[in-house]
Amino acid sequence: MKFTKILAIILSITTGGYAYAESTKPNILVAYYSLTGKTEKTATEIANVSGGTLYKIQPDKSYPDNKKERRKVLEQEMEQNYLPPLKATNINPENYDIIFLGSPVWGNHISQPIKSFLSLYNLSGKTVIPFVTHSGGGRGQSFNDVAELCTNCIVDMDGWSSWGSGVGKKLTKWVNAQIQEIK
Ligand SMILES: Cc1cc2nc3c(=O)[nH]c(=O)nc-3n(C[C@H](O)[C@H](O)[C@H](O)COP(=O)(O)O)c2cc1C
């Protein structure tokens, strides 16, 4: 057989295989809320490793810059379990199969904007993988909050939790393990 013919066969097999792999590839969204940038760093790394679409969740009204004032507003929101309205975006999370969902830990729980996000969309049947950053108190109730608020979602309780952004080899390994599990 001529070399060119062998090459053509190899090419058709490989491109065919690639097309199949592309069509069955799950749609990944990396949605996150971050107040001071740590969860954003984690989210960016998760999107880089997973190839997912990065989606920044933002409250309509931003929180005060002044730390003392901000703390007061946040504590009030948490106490009243106020769900801040979110900025509209052109991404619809309901169009994704797998959602990495990131938040800072606030008072041992998931942040209020993430609660807004979960109340806004119908993510039933989707795989939701929580990731949180904290300042030493650990993940607290945050994964349970996601499981409770995300009705009929498949919540992966083996989520990511780190003091600060946690970006590094361990995070890369965790993202790859989550994706392998889904495949
Ligand atoms: C209102 C508020 C409550 C917080 N509560 C906790 C907590 O319960 N446990 C903890 O370890 N860190 C707590 N933190 C610290 C943040 O979780 C931590 O700094 C996180 O990495 C910040 O993420 P971000 O930069 O993405 O906003 C709190 C921060 C704020 C603003």
Side-chain angles (χ1 to χ4, degrees):
M1 202 184 297
K2 274 190 176 173
F3 175 73
T4 46
K5 199 166 180 184
I6 296 170
L7 194 65
I9 291 168
I10 292 171
L11 270 176
S12 75
I13 291 168
T14 50
T15 45
Y18 180 70
Y20 174 74
E22 278 293 291
S23 66
T24 57
K25 212 166 96 177
N27 247 340
I28 301 175
L29 185 71
V30 183
Y32 70 96
Y33 170 70
S34 179
L35 179 67
T36 58
K38 299 204 174 77
T39 315
E40 179 161 65
K41 224 171 146 189
T42 317
T44 307
E45 185 62 11
I46 293 174
N48 284 341
V49 176
S50 67
T53 303
L54 198 58
Y55 176 91
K56 185 176 184 147
I57 296 166
Q58 284 178 291
D60 236 348
K61 193 172 160 223
S62 47
Y63 293 115
D65 285 334
N66 178 284
K67 266 192 181 174
K68 226 173 151 183
E69 259 179 63
R70 189 166 71 200
R71 191 87 197 186
K72 216 172 136 190
V73 172
L74 293 177
E75 273 170 6
Q76 205 171 21
E77 281 197 2
M78 286 155 60
E79 219 177 277
Q80 297 170 355
N81 199 22
Y82 173 72
L83 305 187
L86 303 180
K87 270 190 187 152
T89 73
N90 55 5
I91 289 178
N92 183 357
E94 292 175 10
N95 292 339
Y96 291 80
D97 307 311
I98 293 152
I99 300 167
F100 283 91
L101 185 62
S103 173
V105 175
W106 283 0
N108 271 327
H109 288 273
I110 210 82
S111 62
Q112 296 307 115
I114 293 296
K115 290 184 183 175
S116 300
F117 175 85
L118 290 173
S119 74
L120 196 58
Y121 297 105
N122 176 3
L123 303 177
S124 66
K126 316 279 183 193
T127 298
V128 176
I129 310 168
F131 63 97
V132 295
T133 72
H134 56 81
S135 59
R139 67 183 197 185
Q141 291 301 308
S142 57
F143 296 175
N144 293 333
D145 291 337
V146 175
E148 216 170 273
L149 297 169
C150 201
T151 326
N152 298 325
C153 298
I154 304 144
V155 179
D156 184 346
M157 298 302 276
D158 187 22
W160 172 265
S161 157
S162 57
W163 186 336
S165 73
V167 167
K169 274 187 195 158
K170 217 171 153 187
L171 177 61
T172 310
K173 204 173 153 194
W174 174 80
V175 178
N176 284 326
Q178 302 311 306
I179 294 167
Q180 269 319 111
E181 238 173 70
I182 293 153
K183 278 180 188 167

